Amino acid sequence: MTDSRPDFQIAPSILSADFARLGEEVDDVLASGADIVHFDVMDNHYVPNLTIGPMVCEALRKHGVTAPIDAHLMVKPVDRLIGDFIDAGATYITFHPEASEHIDRSLQLIRDGGCKAGLVFNPATPLSFLDYVMDKVDMVLLMSVNPGFGGQSFIPGTLDKLREARRRIDASGRDIRLEIDGGVKVDNIAEIARAGADTFVAGSAVFKARNAADPHRYDSVMRDFRRALAEA
């Protein structure tokens, strides 16, 4: 028999990392068992915060990071930065449908550049934006907080939305990851997984759990996440 369990992947958000030693932080969290580097890009226009751009992504690649980098673009307009993040070495590039004048074209720009493409849905954004572009989507990311800042609480209604997104993905028969971002913690990740998510962004829950006694600083919290997922 084959193992039918989901391929759960954990994507720590570097928004909560110590930027004075970002390369070391990313090295540590990956060595502790993380799968993906989640990269939050905010423009103080589409969302009320200003964070990091493609030069930081490129710097992590030059530092030696080979793990997938998931660039979540909270910017408007989005098309120009798509090209910049392709050049910077992103693996996934996801954006909000509200930030693109032509969603199909933006998705195709990402794929034409050799990256995996995804759409991001704010808590009140309907999943109907997926209706005509499932063939161009490699990831669906549901925000379980309103985007802009780390450390917010999980919005419970996202669980029903996750179930609907999972139904759509399964019905499509396509290999599409279902990611969740916002308020993911050790004590709720199993419930989130049971609702259909297979990829989990966690920022403050990971980086605020830094433990100097751990060989790679984050071994304990990553082990706690894995244990919780094993019960999903």
Side-chain angles (χ1 to χ4, degrees):
M1 293 179 63
T2 59
D3 186 359
S4 61
R5 287 185 59 80
D7 172 27
F8 291 138
Q9 296 196 350
I10 299 175
S13 168
I14 62 171
L15 185 64
S16 299
D18 181 351
F19 273 73
R21 51 182 181 189
L22 184 58
E24 177 187 344
E25 286 272 73
V26 173
D27 288 344
D28 282 345
V29 80
L30 289 170
S32 297
D35 304 290
I36 298 172
V37 178
H38 190 77
F39 200 97
D40 287 306
V41 184
M42 306 181 191
D43 65 355
N44 196 34
H45 173 66
Y46 179 69
V47 291
N49 198 358
L50 183 65
T51 58
I52 49 180
M55 287 188 294
V56 179
C57 180
E58 183 178 13
L60 288 176
R61 288 301 190 205
K62 290 181 177 178
H63 174 73
V65 173
T66 59
I69 293 178
D70 172 18
H72 172 196
L73 305 188
M74 289 166 272
V75 302
K76 185 178 182 178
V78 72
D79 285 1
R80 165 59 194 276
L81 277 184
I82 285 172
D84 291 344
F85 272 92
I86 290 169
D87 294 341
T91 310
Y92 291 92
I93 300 177
T94 64
F95 66 92
H96 295 251
E98 301 94 335
S100 172
E101 295 295 329
H102 302 283
I103 296 168
D104 183 275
R105 180 171 66 189
S106 298
L107 290 167
Q108 195 60 54
L109 280 173
I110 296 169
R111 288 188 145 205
D112 286 349
C115 295
K116 295 181 179 181
L119 279 182
V120 189
F121 294 85
N122 289 332
T125 302
L127 293 174
S128 57
F129 281 104
L130 288 169
D131 286 350
Y132 301 102
V133 295
M134 289 290 277
D135 60 322
K136 293 184 174 69
V137 170
D138 301 290
M139 180 180 283
V140 173
L141 169 54
L142 300 192
M143 297 300 298
S144 42
V145 298
N146 287 294
F149 298 94
Q152 300 182 66
S153 297
F154 184 87
I155 296 174
T158 312
L159 293 171
D160 286 338
K161 198 173 184 181
L162 270 172
R163 294 182 187 101
E164 172 60 17
R166 171 52 60 196
R167 186 196 66 75
R168 284 173 173 258
I169 290 170
D170 290 349
S172 77
R174 298 182 179 276
D175 183 15
I176 299 172
R177 298 205 69 85
L178 179 52
E179 188 172 40
I180 189 78
D181 183 359
V184 176
K185 302 181 186 305
V186 171
D187 61 5
N188 67 6
I189 194 170
E191 183 180 19
I192 294 168
R194 286 192 290 269
D198 55 39
T199 307
F200 308 87
V201 178
S204 56
V206 171
F207 287 104
K208 287 186 178 180
R210 181 182 176 89
N211 185 351
D214 285 346
H216 303 105
R217 309 297 182 263
Y218 299 103
D219 306 77
S220 295
V221 66
M222 293 302 298
R223 185 166 55 248
D224 290 343
F225 272 120
R226 296 292 181 191
R227 285 174 176 168
L229 284 172
E231 299 174 0

